[in-house]
Amino acid sequence: MTDLSRFPITKKWPAQHPDRLQLYSLPTPNGVKVSIALEELGLPYEPHLVSFQTDDQLTPEFLSLNPNNKIPAIIDPDGPGGQPLPLFESGAILVYLAEKTGRLIPQDPARRYETLQWVMFQMGGIGPMFGQVGFFHKFAGKDYEDKRPRDRYLNESKRLLGVLEQRMTGRDWIMGDEYTIADIAIWPWVNNLVGFYGAGELVGFSEFKEVQRVLASFLARDAVKRGLNIPARSAA
């Protein structure tokens, strides 16, 4: 049996199945990227809820795995060379899982890099911008009288949705007919923008017909339905 005891995080979240990939996460847009990918790939894994309500992400145990105190993070007991691999940053984890399995990423080098550019598009643009819109529309920022900060992020989010709208015209997925980690990176954030943040009307989401179409296809996938609720919040 694999021994993960050298990882301090396992003291707070003991591994019941140490031979499985260990996922430390919360069902946020970044967190569900990894649970969805794992569900799509059918890899055996053990999820652990990292509760923000109790500041789990700030505990020494979690920081020992991710010093940036963000979810998700993983330990793969069967990493490169058969050795356990700790890893954080959702984009890096998506790339790792795709390359580990040879799935959800094109094998052709040119298309592989094209896929990665769209993962980076989400990491550097959609995630930060949509997140700021959420802050100014749903959370404390909504009470600011000066709407210029909100509008800065709002206008950029609309622009990014326009980029997606153009990309998705005539395509089933980001890479055409091939479903990839680029889709798994992007669509949870689009879903969160119009769902949890409730900013659909604010960003004029009804204007983005192609984005709506592909988002609906994404949410209809069985693995996505499961992954959006892993780890279960009720476990906290």
Side-chain angles (χ1 to χ4, degrees), residues 2 4 19 21 74-86 96 100:
T2 305
L4 299 179
D19 55 324
L21 186 146
I74 67 169
I75 300 174
D76 183 0
D78 184 28
Q83 297 300 309
L85 175 71
Y96 170 71
K100 174 185 176 73

Side-chain angles (χ1 to χ4, degrees), residues 72-170:
I74 67 169
I75 300 174
D76 183 0
D78 184 28
Q83 297 300 309
L85 175 71
L87 200 60
F88 63 88
E89 282 297 329
S90 59
I93 296 171
L94 286 181
V95 174
Y96 170 71
L97 293 175
E99 294 190 339
K100 174 185 176 73
T101 60
R103 296 170 56 197
L104 297 177
I105 194 167
Q107 297 304 300
D108 174 74
R111 284 180 57 80
R112 177 180 179 276
Y113 285 114
E114 187 180 354
T115 302
L116 292 177
Q117 79 179 353
W118 285 101
V119 174
M120 302 308 162
F121 169 78
Q122 182 277 305
M123 299 293 293
I126 281 181
M129 294 302 105
F130 287 12
Q132 293 293 349
V133 168
F135 171 77
F136 283 102
H137 182 64
K138 184 179 177 69
F139 298 110
K142 68 180 184 297
D143 299 323
Y144 293 3
E145 291 185 11
D146 186 351
K147 298 305 179 186
R148 287 175 296 179
R150 183 203 70 174
D151 290 347
R152 171 183 173 86
Y153 297 114
L154 173 61
N155 291 334
E156 178 63 3
S157 293
K158 289 180 177 179
R159 188 190 71 81
L160 292 168
L161 285 170
V163 173
L164 269 184
E165 181 76 1
Q166 183 180 34
R167 176 67 180 181
M168 299 322 302
T169 300

Side-chain angles (χ1 to χ4, degrees), residues 6 13 25 52 62 70 74 94 96 112 114 144 156 187 189 200 223:
R6 70 180 178 89
W13 290 278
S25 190
F52 290 174
F62 188 80
K70 303 293 183 183
I74 67 169
L94 286 181
Y96 170 71
R112 177 180 179 276
E114 187 180 354
Y144 293 3
E156 178 63 3
W187 299 113
W189 271 102

